[in-house]
Amino acid sequence: MNTKLHAVCDSHGRPIDLFLTAGPVSDYIGARALVGGLPDVKWLLGDRGYDADWFREALQDKKIRPCIPGRTKRKTPVPYDKRRYKRRNRIEIMFGRLKDWRRVATRYDRCPKTFFSAIALAATVIFWL
């Protein structure tokens, strides 16, 4: 009953790509699934859960600059643009707009496929509004 939604959104907070994983699974699995479908952008803003050297290298191979703060247990701190990182609230706003849909917020569906289809329907409506 525990799931995690990984999402890519544009600068307007509209969902572009979604991926659902089990709750106790690491964020790296969601990042690995979504890195192949990233659009051509200059920057990627992500939270600390996506801080991995292989992910940063994959972004640099696609000519995308990562703006991801380093984990607290990292031996060498990773520099990131703190001013640009403040714009990450747009993805949080997108998640909030998804949770405006009662079916998504309360997780009525037990089956992950049905739950993800409800998320996809909500994301489609959010994209066009």
Coordinates of all heavy atoms in Angstrom, one line a residue, residues 14-68:
R14 N 3.8 21.7 -15.1 CA 3.0 20.7 -15.7 C 3.7 19.4 -15.8 O 4.9 19.4 -16.2 CB 2.6 21.2 -17.1 CG 1.8 22.5 -17.1 CD 1.5 23.0 -18.5 NE 2.7 23.1 -19.3 CZ 2.8 23.7 -20.5 NH1 1.7 24.1 -21.0 NH2 3.9 23.8 -21.1
P15 N 3.0 18.3 -15.5 CA 3.7 17.0 -15.5 C 4.0 16.6 -16.9 O 3.2 16.7 -17.8 CB 2.7 16.1 -14.9 CG 1.4 16.8 -15.0 CD 1.7 18.2 -15.0
I16 N 5.2 16.1 -17.1 CA 5.7 15.6 -18.4 C 5.8 14.0 -18.4 O 5.4 13.4 -19.3 CB 7.0 16.2 -18.8 CG1 6.8 17.7 -19.0 CG2 7.6 15.6 -20.1 CD1 8.1 18.5 -19.3
D17 N 6.5 13.5 -17.4 CA 6.8 12.1 -17.3 C 6.5 11.7 -15.8 O 7.0 12.3 -14.9 CB 8.2 11.8 -17.7 CG 8.4 10.4 -18.2 OD1 7.4 9.6 -18.1 OD2 9.5 10.0 -18.6
L18 N 5.9 10.5 -15.7 CA 5.6 10.0 -14.3 C 6.1 8.5 -14.2 O 6.1 7.8 -15.2 CB 4.1 10.0 -14.1 CG 3.4 11.4 -14.2 CD1 1.9 11.2 -14.2 CD2 3.8 12.2 -13.0
F19 N 6.5 8.1 -13.0 CA 6.9 6.8 -12.8 C 6.6 6.4 -11.3 O 6.8 7.2 -10.4 CB 8.4 6.6 -13.0 CG 8.9 5.2 -12.9 CD1 8.6 4.3 -13.9 CD2 9.7 4.8 -11.9 CE1 9.1 3.0 -13.9 CE2 10.2 3.5 -11.8 CZ 9.8 2.6 -12.8
L20 N 6.0 5.3 -11.1 CA 5.5 4.8 -9.8 C 6.4 3.7 -9.3 O 6.6 2.7 -10.1 CB 4.1 4.4 -9.9 CG 3.3 4.2 -8.6 CD1 3.1 5.5 -7.9 CD2 2.0 3.5 -8.9
T21 N 6.9 3.8 -8.1 CA 7.7 2.7 -7.5 C 7.1 2.3 -6.2 O 6.2 3.0 -5.6 CB 9.2 3.1 -7.3 OG1 9.2 4.2 -6.4 CG2 9.9 3.4 -8.6
A22 N 7.6 1.2 -5.6 CA 7.2 0.8 -4.3 C 7.8 1.8 -3.3 O 8.8 2.4 -3.5 CB 7.6 -0.6 -4.0
G23 N 7.1 1.9 -2.1 CA 7.5 2.9 -1.1 C 8.9 2.7 -0.6 O 9.7 3.7 -0.5
P24 N 9.4 1.5 -0.2 CA 10.7 1.4 0.4 C 11.8 1.4 -0.6 O 13.0 1.2 -0.3 CB 10.6 0.1 1.1 CG 9.5 -0.7 0.6 CD 8.5 0.3 0.0
V25 N 11.5 1.5 -1.9 CA 12.5 1.5 -3.0 C 13.3 2.8 -3.0 O 12.7 3.9 -2.8 CB 11.9 1.2 -4.3 CG1 12.8 1.3 -5.5 CG2 11.3 -0.2 -4.3
S26 N 14.5 2.8 -3.4 CA 15.4 4.0 -3.4 C 14.9 4.9 -4.6 O 14.4 4.5 -5.6 CB 16.8 3.6 -3.6 OG 17.6 4.7 -3.8
D27 N 15.2 6.2 -4.4 CA 14.9 7.2 -5.5 C 15.7 7.0 -6.7 O 15.3 7.4 -7.8 CB 15.1 8.6 -5.0 CG 14.0 9.0 -4.0 OD1 12.9 8.3 -3.9 OD2 14.2 10.0 -3.2
Y28 N 16.8 6.2 -6.6 CA 17.7 6.0 -7.7 C 17.0 5.2 -8.8 O 17.2 5.4 -10.0 CB 18.9 5.3 -7.3 CG 19.8 6.0 -6.4 CD1 20.6 5.4 -5.4 CD2 19.9 7.4 -6.4 CE1 21.4 6.1 -4.5 CE2 20.7 8.1 -5.5 CZ 21.4 7.4 -4.6 OH 22.2 8.1 -3.7
I29 N 16.1 4.3 -8.5 CA 15.4 3.5 -9.4 C 14.4 4.4 -10.3 O 14.3 4.3 -11.5 CB 14.6 2.4 -8.7 CG1 15.6 1.4 -8.2 CG2 13.7 1.7 -9.7 CD1 15.1 0.3 -7.4
G30 N 13.7 5.3 -9.6 CA 12.9 6.3 -10.3 C 13.7 7.2 -11.2 O 13.3 7.5 -12.3
A31 N 14.9 7.6 -10.8 CA 15.8 8.4 -11.6 C 16.2 7.7 -12.8 O 16.3 8.2 -13.9 CB 16.9 8.9 -10.7
R32 N 16.6 6.4 -12.6 CA 17.1 5.6 -13.7 C 16.0 5.4 -14.8 O 16.3 5.4 -16.0 CB 17.6 4.3 -13.2 CG 18.3 3.5 -14.3 CD 18.9 2.3 -13.6 NE 19.6 2.7 -12.4 CZ 20.8 2.3 -12.1 NH1 21.5 1.5 -12.8 NH2 21.4 2.8 -11.0
A33 N 14.7 5.3 -14.3 CA 13.6 5.1 -15.3 C 13.3 6.4 -16.0 O 12.9 6.3 -17.2 CB 12.4 4.6 -14.5
L34 N 13.5 7.5 -15.4 CA 13.1 8.8 -16.0 C 14.2 9.5 -16.8 O 13.9 10.4 -17.6 CB 12.5 9.7 -15.0 CG 11.2 9.3 -14.3 CD1 10.9 10.3 -13.2 CD2 10.1 9.2 -15.3
V35 N 15.4 9.1 -16.6 CA 16.6 9.8 -17.2 C 16.6 9.7 -18.7 O 17.0 10.6 -19.5 CB 17.9 9.4 -16.6 CG1 18.4 8.0 -17.1 CG2 19.0 10.4 -16.9
G36 N 16.1 8.6 -19.2 CA 16.1 8.3 -20.7 C 15.1 9.2 -21.4 O 15.2 9.6 -22.6
G37 N 14.0 9.6 -20.8 CA 12.9 10.4 -21.4 C 13.0 11.9 -21.1 O 12.0 12.6 -21.3
L38 N 14.1 12.4 -20.6 CA 14.2 13.8 -20.2 C 14.2 14.6 -21.5 O 14.8 14.3 -22.5 CB 15.5 14.1 -19.4 CG 15.5 13.6 -18.0 CD1 16.8 13.8 -17.4 CD2 14.4 14.2 -17.2
P39 N 13.4 15.7 -21.5 CA 13.5 16.6 -22.6 C 14.8 17.4 -22.7 O 15.6 17.4 -21.8 CB 12.3 17.6 -22.4 CG 12.1 17.5 -20.9 CD 12.5 16.2 -20.4
D40 N 14.9 18.1 -23.8 CA 16.1 18.9 -24.0 C 16.0 20.2 -23.2 O 15.3 21.1 -23.5 CB 16.3 19.3 -25.5 CG 16.7 18.1 -26.3 OD1 17.3 17.1 -25.7 OD2 16.3 18.1 -27.5
V41 N 16.7 20.2 -22.0 CA 16.6 21.4 -21.1 C 18.1 21.7 -20.7 O 19.0 21.0 -20.9 CB 15.8 21.1 -19.9 CG1 14.3 20.9 -20.2 CG2 16.3 19.9 -19.1
K42 N 18.2 22.9 -20.1 CA 19.5 23.3 -19.6 C 19.8 22.9 -18.2 O 20.9 22.5 -17.9 CB 19.7 24.8 -19.7 CG 19.6 25.4 -21.1 CD 19.8 26.8 -21.1 CE 19.7 27.4 -22.5 NZ 19.7 28.8 -22.6
W43 N 18.8 22.9 -17.4 CA 18.9 22.6 -15.9 C 17.9 21.5 -15.5 O 16.8 21.4 -16.0 CB 18.7 23.8 -15.1 CG 19.8 24.8 -15.2 CD1 19.9 25.8 -16.1 CD2 20.9 25.0 -14.3 NE1 21.0 26.5 -15.9 CE2 21.6 26.1 -14.7 CE3 21.3 24.3 -13.2 CZ2 22.8 26.5 -14.1 CZ3 22.4 24.7 -12.5 CH2 23.2 25.8 -13.0
L44 N 18.3 20.7 -14.5 CA 17.4 19.8 -13.9 C 17.5 20.1 -12.4 O 18.6 20.0 -11.8 CB 17.8 18.3 -14.1 CG 16.8 17.4 -13.5 CD1 16.1 16.5 -14.5 CD2 17.5 16.5 -12.4
L45 N 16.3 20.4 -11.8 CA 16.3 20.6 -10.3 C 15.7 19.4 -9.7 O 14.7 18.9 -10.0 CB 15.4 21.8 -10.0 CG 15.6 23.1 -10.8 CD1 14.6 24.1 -10.5 CD2 17.0 23.6 -10.6
G46 N 16.4 18.9 -8.7 CA 16.0 17.7 -8.0 C 16.4 17.8 -6.5 O 17.2 18.6 -6.1
D47 N 15.7 16.9 -5.7 CA 16.0 17.0 -4.3 C 17.2 16.0 -3.9 O 17.7 15.4 -4.8 CB 14.8 16.7 -3.4 CG 14.2 15.3 -3.7 OD1 14.7 14.6 -4.6 OD2 13.3 14.9 -2.9
R48 N 17.5 16.0 -2.7 CA 18.7 15.2 -2.2 C 18.6 13.7 -2.5 O 19.6 13.0 -2.6 CB 18.9 15.4 -0.7 CG 19.3 16.8 -0.3 CD 19.4 16.9 1.2 NE 19.5 18.2 1.6 CZ 20.6 18.9 1.8 NH1 21.7 18.3 1.7 NH2 20.5 20.1 2.2
G49 N 17.4 13.2 -2.6 CA 17.2 11.8 -2.9 C 17.8 11.3 -4.3 O 18.1 10.2 -4.5
Y50 N 18.0 12.3 -5.2 CA 18.5 12.0 -6.5 C 20.0 12.3 -6.6 O 20.5 12.4 -7.7 CB 17.7 12.8 -7.5 CG 16.3 12.3 -7.6 CD1 15.3 13.1 -7.0 CD2 15.9 11.1 -8.2 CE1 14.0 12.7 -7.1 CE2 14.6 10.8 -8.3 CZ 13.6 11.5 -7.7 OH 12.3 11.1 -7.7
D51 N 20.6 12.5 -5.5 CA 22.1 12.8 -5.5 C 22.9 11.5 -5.6 O 23.0 10.8 -4.7 CB 22.5 13.5 -4.2 CG 23.9 13.8 -4.1 OD1 24.5 14.1 -5.2 OD2 24.5 13.8 -3.0
A52 N 23.4 11.3 -6.8 CA 24.2 10.2 -7.1 C 25.2 10.6 -8.2 O 24.8 11.3 -9.1 CB 23.4 8.9 -7.5
D53 N 26.4 10.1 -8.1 CA 27.4 10.4 -9.2 C 27.0 9.9 -10.5 O 27.2 10.6 -11.5 CB 28.8 9.9 -8.8 CG 29.3 10.6 -7.5 OD1 29.0 11.7 -7.3 OD2 30.1 9.9 -6.8
W54 N 26.4 8.7 -10.6 CA 26.1 8.2 -11.9 C 24.9 9.0 -12.5 O 24.9 9.2 -13.8 CB 25.6 6.7 -11.9 CG 24.4 6.5 -11.1 CD1 24.3 6.2 -9.8 CD2 23.0 6.6 -11.6 NE1 23.0 6.1 -9.4 CE2 22.2 6.3 -10.5 CE3 22.5 6.8 -12.8 CZ2 20.8 6.3 -10.6 CZ3 21.1 6.9 -12.9 CH2 20.3 6.6 -11.9
F55 N 24.0 9.5 -11.7 CA 22.9 10.4 -12.2 C 23.4 11.7 -12.7 O 23.0 12.2 -13.8 CB 21.9 10.6 -11.1 CG 20.6 11.2 -11.6 CD1 19.9 10.7 -12.6 CD2 20.2 12.4 -11.0 CE1 18.7 11.4 -13.1 CE2 19.1 13.0 -11.4 CZ 18.3 12.5 -12.4
R56 N 24.4 12.3 -12.0 CA 25.0 13.5 -12.4 C 25.7 13.3 -13.8 O 25.7 14.2 -14.6 CB 25.9 14.1 -11.4 CG 25.2 14.6 -10.1 CD 26.2 15.0 -9.1 NE 25.6 15.4 -7.9 CZ 25.0 16.5 -7.6 NH1 25.0 17.5 -8.5 NH2 24.4 16.8 -6.4
E57 N 26.4 12.2 -13.9 CA 27.2 11.9 -15.1 C 26.2 11.7 -16.3 O 26.4 12.2 -17.4 CB 28.1 10.7 -15.0 CG 29.2 11.0 -14.1 CD 30.0 9.7 -13.7 OE1 29.7 8.7 -14.3 OE2 30.9 9.8 -12.9
A58 N 25.1 11.0 -16.0 CA 24.1 10.8 -17.1 C 23.5 12.1 -17.5 O 23.2 12.3 -18.7 CB 23.0 9.9 -16.6
L59 N 23.3 13.0 -16.6 CA 22.7 14.4 -17.0 C 23.8 15.1 -17.8 O 23.4 15.8 -18.8 CB 22.3 15.1 -15.7 CG 21.1 14.6 -15.0 CD1 20.9 15.4 -13.7 CD2 19.9 14.7 -15.8
Q60 N 25.0 15.1 -17.4 CA 26.0 15.8 -18.1 C 26.3 15.2 -19.5 O 26.6 16.0 -20.4 CB 27.3 15.8 -17.3 CG 27.3 16.7 -16.1 CD 28.5 16.6 -15.2 OE1 29.4 15.8 -15.4 NE2 28.5 17.4 -14.2
D61 N 26.0 13.9 -19.7 CA 26.1 13.3 -21.0 C 25.0 13.9 -21.9 O 25.2 14.0 -23.1 CB 26.0 11.8 -20.9 CG 27.2 11.2 -20.3 OD1 28.3 11.9 -20.2 OD2 27.1 10.0 -19.9
K62 N 23.9 14.2 -21.3 CA 22.8 14.8 -22.1 C 22.9 16.3 -22.1 O 21.9 17.0 -22.6 CB 21.4 14.4 -21.5 CG 21.1 13.0 -21.6 CD 19.7 12.7 -21.0 CE 19.1 11.6 -21.7 NZ 17.9 11.8 -22.4
K63 N 24.0 16.9 -21.6 CA 24.2 18.3 -21.6 C 23.2 19.0 -20.8 O 22.7 20.1 -21.1 CB 24.3 18.9 -23.0 CG 25.4 18.3 -23.8 CD 25.6 18.9 -25.1 CE 26.8 18.4 -25.7 NZ 26.7 17.9 -27.1
I64 N 22.8 18.4 -19.6 CA 21.9 19.0 -18.7 C 22.7 19.3 -17.4 O 23.4 18.4 -16.9 CB 20.7 18.1 -18.4 CG1 19.9 17.8 -19.6 CG2 19.8 18.7 -17.3 CD1 18.8 16.8 -19.5
R65 N 22.6 20.5 -16.9 CA 23.3 20.8 -15.7 C 22.5 20.5 -14.4 O 21.3 21.0 -14.3 CB 23.7 22.3 -15.6 CG 24.6 22.7 -16.8 CD 25.0 24.1 -16.8 NE 25.7 24.4 -15.5 CZ 26.0 25.7 -15.2 NH1 25.6 26.7 -15.9 NH2 26.7 25.9 -14.1
P66 N 23.0 19.7 -13.5 CA 22.2 19.3 -12.4 C 22.2 20.4 -11.3 O 23.2 20.9 -11.0 CB 22.8 18.0 -11.9 CG 24.2 18.1 -12.3 CD 24.2 18.9 -13.6
C67 N 21.1 20.6 -10.7 CA 21.0 21.5 -9.5 C 20.4 20.7 -8.4 O 19.2 20.8 -8.1 CB 20.1 22.7 -9.8 SG 20.1 23.9 -8.5
I68 N 21.2 19.8 -7.9 CA 20.8 18.9 -6.8 C 21.7 19.0 -5.7 O 22.9 18.8 -5.8 CB 20.9 17.4 -7.4 CG1 20.0 17.3 -8.6 CG2 20.5 16.4 -6.3 CD1 20.2 16.0 -9.3

